[in-house]
Amino acid sequence: AALSCRRYVAGGQCKSAAKLEGKVVIITGANTGIGKETARDLARRGKVIVACRDIAKAEAAASEIRAETGNQQVIVKKLDLADTKSIWEFAEKFLAEEKELHILINNAGVMLCPYSKTADGFEMHLGVNHLGHFLLTFLLLERLKQSAPARIVNVSSLAHHGGRIRFHDLHGEKSYNRGLAYCHSKLANVLFTRELARRLQGTKVTANALHPGSVHSELVRHSFVMTWLWKIFSFFLKTPWEGAQTSIYCAVAEELDSVTGQYFSDCQPAYVSPRGRDDETAKKLWSVSCELLGIQWD
C-alpha cells in the first residue's frame, strides 16, 4: 500500500524522448528544486540557459548538470525578477547573443514571503511570480515568434484556486496575507497564460500553464511551520524530479505541438478554477500589468 500511495504521489511522467538539437531553452530560477531538475532533463536534449538571481548557486547547479549530461551548453545568466532593470538587461544581452529561442520556461517563484516589495515597488509575490515573467516574456516574444514553432511554459499552481485578482489592492497595502498573496500570483499566471495564448493564435508560439504538484523544495523556506510540516509529510510530497515532469512535458511533448492556453497537472489537462477562466479579468490584468511595467503590448 505504501508503494502504491507513493506512486500516486509521484504522478505523471514525461515519456517524450524529443531531442532539442540546435534549440535554445531559457529556464528562470533553475538553480534549485523543480527548475534545476527541468534544466537537468532538458540539458540532455539541447542548449539550456539558466537564468537566476544567485549566480554562485546557479554556477554550482550548472556545472553539476554539465558534468552529468556531458552537455557544455548549459549557460548561466544573471536575472533578478524582483528588479525590472535586471530583466531588461538580461533580455538585451540574450537578444544580442542568441539568434533563436524555442522554449521559455517561466519557473522561478517566491512563496510565503513576509510583506516586502520589489525594486519597483510591487508586492513581492505579484512582482516576481507574475509581473517579472510578464515583462520577460514581452521582451523575448519577437525572438520566440521568429524561431517558431516555439513554446512558453508558465509554472503556476493548484494554489490558483484560492486566488483572486484584487485590482483595488494589487500590492497588498490595505491587507496582506502571505499565503493568499501566493495564491493571487499563481492565479495571475493562469490568466496571463490564457490571454497570451489568445493573442498568439496563428503565430506557432504556444503558451501553457501547469501545476507541478506539491513538491519537496526550498519554496517554503520563509515559513517555519510549512518547513516543519513539509518534513513530516515528505512521504506525501513529490521529489523535485517528479515535480519537474509536467514542466518537461509541456516543454517537449510532441502531442502538444499545437496545444495552447491549457493548464496541466501530472502531464495531463487539469481543472482550472472559474476565476482562472474569466476572460474579462484576464484582459484587465493584462492592461494593468502593462501600465505598471510602463510597456505597450498590443
Side-chain angles (χ1 to χ4, degrees), residues 94-106:
F94 173 82
L95 295 171
E97 287 164 15
E98 298 288 343
K99 292 298 152 253
E100 295 191 89
L101 174 59
H102 304 90
I103 301 168
L104 170 62
I105 304 181
N106 291 318

Side-chain angles (χ1 to χ4, degrees), residues 216 223-235 237:
H216 202 102
S223 164
F224 170 73
V225 175
M226 284 290 279
T227 305
W228 182 72
L229 284 171
W230 242 227
K231 283 203 169 73
I232 296 174
F233 292 109
S234 64
F235 180 81
L237 295 172

Side-chain angles (χ1 to χ4, degrees), residues 39-41 43-44 64-72 74:
R40 194 194 307 270
D41 180 287
R44 295 197 171 93
E64 179 192 315
I65 291 170
R66 282 183 217 119
E68 196 181 305
T69 61
N71 180 2
Q72 293 313 301
V74 180

Side-chain angles (χ1 to χ4, degrees), residues 67-93:
E68 196 181 305
T69 61
N71 180 2
Q72 293 313 301
Q73 300 252 282
V74 180
I75 297 158
V76 173
K77 297 277 180 225
K78 170 122 178 117
L79 170 66
D80 183 356
L81 288 157
D83 183 354
T84 57
K85 198 163 127 280
S86 169
I87 302 170
W88 282 92
E89 278 167 14
F90 168 85
E92 211 169 298
K93 281 197 183 114

Side-chain angles (χ1 to χ4, degrees), residues 131-143:
L131 292 166
H133 283 128
F134 185 94
L135 178 60
L136 180 66
T137 306
F138 165 74
L139 294 172
L140 299 177
L141 193 63
E142 276 317 302
R143 190 63 96 239

Side-chain angles (χ1 to χ4, degrees), residues 49 117 131 185 225 253 280:
I49 291 168
K117 288 188 164 174
L131 292 166
S185 72
V225 175
E280 284 321 295

Side-chain angles (χ1 to χ4, degrees), residues 133-261:
H133 283 128
F134 185 94
L135 178 60
L136 180 66
T137 306
F138 165 74
L139 294 172
L140 299 177
L141 193 63
E142 276 317 302
R143 190 63 96 239
L144 283 157
K145 284 181 180 170
Q146 291 158 8
S147 312
R151 300 183 186 192
I152 297 162
V153 178
N154 296 323
V155 178
S156 176
S157 167
L158 185 66
H160 84 269
H161 287 277
R164 52 174 60 204
I165 306 299
R166 301 165 68 246
F167 289 109
H168 64 286
D169 188 22
L170 268 184
H171 304 295
E173 285 150 334
K174 298 192 181 87
S175 73
Y176 180 76
N177 171 304
R178 56 194 188 165
L180 287 175
Y182 177 70
C183 295
H184 302 332
S185 72
K186 293 287 119 180
L187 173 60
N189 294 154
V190 171
L191 290 166
F192 168 47
T193 304
R194 188 177 181 87
E195 179 63 10
L196 180 61
R198 191 184 69 76
R199 288 163 174 261
L200 289 175
Q201 293 285 312
T203 60
K204 287 209 174 345
V205 180
T206 63
N208 290 298
L210 67 103
H211 166 56
S214 301
V215 177
H216 202 102
S217 77
E218 286 182 18
L219 255 188
V220 293
R221 61 182 168 261
H222 291 295
S223 164
F224 170 73
V225 175
M226 284 290 279
T227 305
W228 182 72
L229 284 171
W230 242 227
K231 283 203 169 73
I232 296 174
F233 292 109
S234 64
F235 180 81
F236 298 102
L237 295 172
K238 291 187 179 192
T239 63
W241 182 84
E242 289 160 355
Q245 295 304 306
T246 307
S247 297
I248 297 162
Y249 175 74
C250 288
V252 303
E254 297 87 344
E255 63 267 32
L256 299 188
D257 273 342
S258 54
V259 173
T260 190

